[in-house]
Amino acid sequence: NKNEYVEHVRKLNPDLIISFSAPQIIKPTLLSIPRYGILNVHGALLPNYRGCLPSFWYLFNEEKVGGATVHYMSADIDDGDICVQKSIDISDCKTMFQIMRKTKFIGGEAMVEAIERVTNGTLEPRKNDTKNGSYFTWPTVEQTKEFRKKGYKLV
């Protein structure tokens, strides 16, 4: 979001920008540069599990199915229109790394599919209904302790 970077990107004049789990909120000045927008991969099935560490929260909530979503980035966190979603069985996962490995892999496949659809004009994004989804922040110390008591680990 720094002015120097925004100007650098503006000079490149990209058609599309790709993001894998962006660590910051992209501001409108950068969002408006690429002709086809900015696509991001989020390691969950939006609109559920928006926000931080979906792999932690999948385990914490003992989910059996996870996934990845390619969505357009907007000025709000994990709020943009959904382009491609893929789900995957995570019932055998006991660590965050196991879930991340699965969701990043299918997230990559979903991104390739989204790019193909953008380039051939067949992408039909749908509204990301965030009012009916869930949002998670960083876990508290107590939640982390409970996570470990349940037998889950980071790696």
Side-chain angles (χ1 to χ4, degrees):
N1 289 310
K2 289 186 177 182
N3 288 337
E4 307 85 51
Y5 184 74
V6 170
E7 287 311 310
H8 173 74
V9 172
R10 193 180 314 280
K11 287 177 187 172
L12 292 173
N13 194 28
D15 290 328
L16 181 68
I17 294 176
I18 306 303
S19 166
F20 273 76
S21 303
Q24 62 180 284
I25 298 170
I26 306 298
K27 293 184 180 172
T29 52
L30 184 55
L31 287 170
S32 67
I33 294 174
R35 178 169 50 149
Y36 296 112
I38 301 177
L39 294 178
N40 181 59
V41 176
H42 182 70
L45 297 171
L46 297 176
N48 294 312
Y49 291 94
R50 293 177 6 260
C52 300
L53 292 176
S55 56
F56 174 91
W57 295 110
Y58 273 154
L59 285 172
F60 187 86
N61 293 321
E62 300 178 352
E63 298 286 357
K64 303 299 180 209
V65 176
T69 302
V70 175
H71 65 98
Y72 277 110
M73 293 188 84
S74 67
D76 294 318
I77 298 172
D78 301 327
D79 185 63
D81 288 351
I82 294 170
C83 301
V84 177
Q85 283 188 312
K86 293 189 178 286
S87 61
I88 193 162
D89 177 15
I90 58 170
S91 62
D92 61 336
C93 295
K94 299 296 180 207
T95 70
M96 288 175 53
F97 180 76
Q98 290 171 328
I99 291 178
M100 285 189 278
R101 185 178 201 166
K102 286 185 172 193
T103 58
K104 295 292 185 194
F105 182 81
I106 63 167
E109 289 178 343
M111 181 59 82
V112 169
E113 185 177 328
I115 293 168
E116 287 173 345
R117 289 182 184 183
V118 166
T119 58
N120 67 25
T122 61
L123 183 65
E124 295 182 16
R126 72 183 199 290
K127 181 79 176 132
N128 185 356
D129 185 12
T130 58
K131 289 182 178 149
N132 290 315
S134 56
Y135 180 86
F136 292 87
T137 60
W138 291 101
T140 65
V141 171
E142 287 303 314
Q143 290 166 328
T144 303
K145 287 178 183 176
E146 186 177 341
F147 178 86
R148 290 178 192 241
K149 280 183 188 176
K150 291 179 178 185
Y152 299 126
K153 299 178 180 179
L154 301 178
V155 179

